[in-house]
Each structure stands twice: as structure tokens, then as C-alpha cells.
Amino acid sequence: MLNYDVQSSTSLWDRFPDQMVTAQEMHDSCLRQALHDCYGYEVHTEGDSFTVTFHEASDALKWCAKVQQRLQKLPWPSNLRNTTTPGNTAEGSNHGVNTLTIPLRI
């Protein structure tokens, strides 16, 4: 079983609510398609948080890699692509990298 959540998404929702609706739809579709491709099952969702499960650990690893690759290729709304969030600064954990360059942490 795997728990997934997008880091710092609350601040993005606060700053860009209209664009985040589109981003959430793209995100959820991407994750669900990858689940299908990797023989996974959606157990629970709440916001951008997913709990998923797989029969084989290797399928879970494939899903993580596939989701990471696919999320990076999505046409995110431009103001989200160039946005940093609290904690994603030179002093923070992502060293100033914008949020959608590192779209998830699992």
C-alpha cells in the first residue's frame, strides 16, 4: 500500500484556485491512468492525496516512476510552472526549484 500527497499544494490552492482546478484534473487523470497501466487499485482519495495498492511491490515501483515521468511532461498552467511555495526556497528542501519540477514526493 502506498500513500501519495502533493507537497505544498495548499499554498498553491490559496494563490491560484482557478488554475489549480485544471491542474487537479490533469493530476488525477495521470495518476489513475498510471494505476491502470501498473495493475494498481485506488483505495482512497482526498484532495490530491491518494492511497493506492498493488499486488506486487515491483508494480508499485513502476507506478511511482511512471507517475513522476508523466507529471513532468504535462502542460501545467504557466503560472504554476514558475511558482515556488513556502519551503521551496534556497533555504528550503527543494533549493529554489519550482514546485511542479518536483511534482510529488511519495
Side-chain angles (χ1 to χ4, degrees):
M1 193 169 286
L2 215 147
N3 291 310
Y4 163 98
D5 192 51
V6 177
Q7 180 180 357
S8 303
S9 64
T10 302
S11 65
L12 290 172
W13 276 102
D14 290 343
R15 293 168 59 196
F16 308 107
D18 295 334
Q19 294 81 7
M20 284 298 290
V21 171
T22 300
Q24 181 81 45
E25 291 169 356
M26 293 167 45
H27 165 270
D28 292 358
S29 177
C30 178
L31 268 62
R32 289 184 174 121
Q33 182 60 51
L35 274 174
H36 174 76
D37 295 347
C38 297
Y39 312 106
Y41 300 92
E42 185 176 325
V43 176
H44 179 73
T45 60
E46 184 175 334
D48 59 34
S49 174
F50 276 67
T51 301
V52 296
T53 192
F54 302 85
H55 288 287
E56 303 291 332
S58 61
D59 290 331
L61 291 173
K62 288 176 192 172
W63 181 80
C64 291
K66 192 172 291 250
V67 164
Q68 191 77 294
Q69 292 166 350
R70 289 180 180 178
L71 286 174
Q72 299 236 355
K73 293 178 182 177
L74 287 175
W76 300 105
S78 60
N79 59 337
L80 296 179
R81 282 195 308 263
N82 301 316
T83 301
T84 58
T85 57
N88 291 354
T89 63
E91 298 81 33
S93 61
N94 292 340
H95 306 288
V97 175
N98 69 40
T99 303
L100 292 176
T101 300
I102 305 174
L104 63 101
R105 295 199 181 207
I106 298 175

